[in-house]
Amino acid sequence: MALRRFEEIEGWQLARELTKQVYAVAMRGAFAKDFGLRDQITRASGSSMHNIAEGFDGGSNAEFVKFLRYSQRSCSEVQSQLYVALDQAYISQAE
């Protein structure tokens, strides 16, 4: 069955959940006051889902794959930024 909408892509659904969770932790306490990190991590998490959507409408499989790689890089960026948030005690290891 061919996908007709980017919302059907499991990776996009997971990226949406990641973005939701990142916003939840980034908008509270000391994390919310670290404007640079907060802005950077929320933008990167949003990019993870936006690149999947953009690539889906890219017109070719090669274009889609290229944007999936961008999405993966955005997820790596979020992961690295979460280490900063952990080191600054903005989040716990469990989060």
Side-chain angles (χ1 to χ4, degrees):
M1 179 175 131
L3 299 172
R4 296 187 349 216
R5 300 171 51 228
F6 68 82
E7 293 94 340
E8 298 172 19
I9 300 169
E10 183 180 0
W12 181 87
Q13 295 167 8
L14 293 169
R16 182 181 180 196
E17 182 59 31
L18 171 68
T19 301
K20 180 180 171 184
Q21 290 182 24
V22 164
Y23 269 83
V25 297
M27 298 302 175
R28 64 168 205 237
F31 203 156
K33 295 175 184 158
D34 187 335
F35 303 113
L37 181 60
R38 186 192 70 196
D39 183 59
Q40 193 170 5
I41 197 169
T42 55
R43 286 171 157 283
S45 66
S47 268
S48 67
M49 61 189 282
H50 305 323
N51 278 311
I52 293 170
E54 187 175 352
F56 181 76
D57 286 332
S60 70
N61 285 341
E63 189 74 3
F64 187 37
V65 168
K66 179 173 81 171
F67 278 87
L68 289 175
R69 288 187 183 124
Y70 294 155
S71 177
Q72 184 178 22
R73 289 179 192 136
S74 293
C75 288
S76 294
E77 184 179 349
V78 169
Q79 183 178 1
S80 182
Q81 292 159 352
L82 286 170
Y83 281 111
V84 174
L86 180 64
D87 292 345
Q88 296 302 309
Y90 296 159
I91 59 172
S92 68
Q93 184 68 42
E95 290 171 307

